[in-house]
Amino acid sequence: MFDEEMYDSDEMEDGLEAIMLERRMAYVRQVSVDEVLDMFPEAPDIPANQELWALLDVQGQPIALAGSESAVKLSAMRHDIETVSVH
């Protein structure tokens, strides 16, 4: 039925990552305060109920952080980065 080599997930991920890097793509997703503290250990105290959105590169490294989805997308747009949402 399916050729397992044809659907090797590592090769697919590497290919997708290369395309995303070439096209300057990044993920946009809402993040928790705990996630922000993991990304930025030096971050100041953030209220637990603060809404936060992150722009992450294809490796999951943070590029930008903002208090709204539109603000983080605007930051991406200013740097010619195409965004995709992660659910």
Side-chain angles (χ1 to χ4, degrees):
M1 289 211 190
F2 293 107
D3 182 357
E4 287 184 23
E5 289 182 26
M6 185 176 174
Y7 294 99
D8 181 24
S9 62
D10 289 339
E11 286 180 21
M12 288 176 65
E13 285 180 23
D14 290 345
L16 180 59
E17 184 173 315
I19 290 167
M20 291 182 76
L21 286 169
E22 181 181 320
R23 291 183 58 192
R24 294 183 50 95
M25 294 178 72
Y27 298 103
V28 173
R29 71 175 177 89
Q30 193 167 18
V31 292
S32 69
V33 172
D34 290 337
E35 288 175 294
V36 170
L37 294 175
D38 286 342
M39 291 179 209
F40 304 100
E42 70 283 355
D45 289 336
I46 302 169
N49 62 347
Q50 175 71 44
E51 182 177 314
L52 298 166
W53 291 82
L55 180 66
L56 308 167
D57 71 13
V58 295
Q59 289 90 19
Q61 296 300 310
I63 298 170
L65 183 67
S68 70
E69 182 178 14
S70 59
V72 85
K73 285 183 176 182
L74 180 60
S75 178
M77 186 176 70
R78 287 182 178 159
H79 294 92
D80 296 323
I81 298 171
E82 185 178 343
T83 60
V84 293
S85 296
V86 176
H87 301 279

